Amino acid sequence: RKEVEQDPGPFNVPEGATVAFNCTYSNSASQSFFWYRQDCRKEPKLLMSVYSSGNEDGRFTAQLNRASQYISLLIRDSKLSDSATYLCVVNLYNQGGKLIFGQGTELSVKP
Amino acid sequence: DVKVTQSSRYLVKRTGEKVFLECVQDMDHENMFWYRQDPGLGLRLIYFSYDVKMKEKGDIPEGYSVSREKKERFSLILESASTNQTSMYLCASSSPGLGGTGELFFGEGSRLTVL
């Protein structure tokens, strides 16, 4: 079983749609969580951290469920510019802060 | 603006050649990392370094070595390139975050093709 698993997609949605991505992790010692965004042929960049209480940044909402060991990212009112691959990332404190990346979920927003 | 610079965007090498991939960061970060990214496999950690002259193996170190002689520079070396090392190589740096690794800043990547 992979340490961090994501549905690779692609998710094809129309502009204005709401779309949600889930990510599961296997190591219960995982302590911090992130979503990174990677545009086509570009490097990954931090989108947002994920906090236990859930957090929101504009149209983006991240949630953490420790009991079920999954993280989610919700995008409301999708824009064409949201088209990218979204990477779920988990920080393993008990391994010196090692970051484990999921394989990414591809999102394509269509006009 | 934070900057991680990788020396080559595209390289084509032959099997058995020695390959150097250079990475320089201008943010005075302690931590530096080398990943490779392949379709369906995501980013996999090759080597990382938390300080000058220090290196740790990641998940897939076989066939690779690294060098960190200066804080700002982290080099990845393929002693004898093989076709299964054809990939996108991404360098990243970070400052230590609370309890672990802070935000990673990536370079633009080096796409290596081994023929």
Side-chain angles (χ1 to χ4, degrees), chain A:
Chain A
R1 184 186 173 188
K2 291 181 181 176
E3 289 189 89
V4 178
E5 290 204 66
Q6 297 180 249
D7 181 342
F11 283 57
N12 296 304
V13 303
E15 270 187 292
T18 294
V19 61
F21 307 135
N22 286 331
C23 166
T24 58
Y25 60 95
S26 60
N27 192 327
S28 59
S30 305
Q31 291 296 324
S32 58
F33 310 89
F34 310 90
W35 285 100
Y36 277 69
R37 171 192 167 130
Q38 185 172 23
D39 293 310
C40 187
R41 297 192 180 87
K42 296 283 192 178
E43 71 276 20
K45 292 184 179 178
L46 179 66
L47 177 65
M48 59 197 301
S49 301
V50 186
Y51 302 120
S52 296
S53 55
N55 48 300
E56 191 173 303
D57 182 3
R59 298 180 293 108
F60 297 82
T61 300
Q63 297 271 353
L64 167 64
N65 185 319
R66 286 190 184 273
S68 301
Q69 294 185 199
Y70 80 80
I71 309 139
S72 64
L73 178 67
L74 182 77
I75 306 175
R76 290 181 299 278
D77 189 23
S78 300
K79 311 291 184 193
L80 296 177
S81 57
D82 293 334
S83 297
T85 296
Y86 291 83
L87 304 169
C88 174
V89 185
V90 169
N91 187 333
L92 299 179
Y93 282 6
N94 65 346
Q95 293 186 34
K98 184 177 168 183
L99 291 179
I100 307 293
F101 283 77
Q103 66 174 352
T105 297
E106 184 183 345
L107 172 65
S108 180
V109 182
K110 307 290 188 185

Side-chain angles (χ1 to χ4, degrees), chain B residues 35-100:
Chain B
Y35 289 88
R36 64 177 281 178
Q37 186 172 29
D38 301 286
L41 297 175
L43 276 84
R44 293 180 292 167
L45 182 62
I46 305 171
Y47 267 96
F48 60 101
S49 170
Y50 287 153
D51 203 351
V52 177
K53 305 266 187 194
M54 177 267 176
K55 60 186 177 185
E56 292 283 345
K57 292 180 180 179
D59 297 316
I60 51 164
E62 296 78 19
Y64 303 95
S65 62
V66 290
S67 172
R68 190 151 182 216
E69 296 295 318
K70 294 184 178 181
K71 188 177 185 179
E72 68 271 18
R73 187 179 297 269
F74 193 36
S75 303
L76 180 69
I77 303 148
L78 287 68
E79 292 289 341
S80 177
S82 62
T83 54
N84 62 12
Q85 292 179 308
T86 292
S87 186
M88 170 66 84
Y89 290 88
L90 287 160
C91 174
S93 72
S94 74
S95 280
L98 180 64

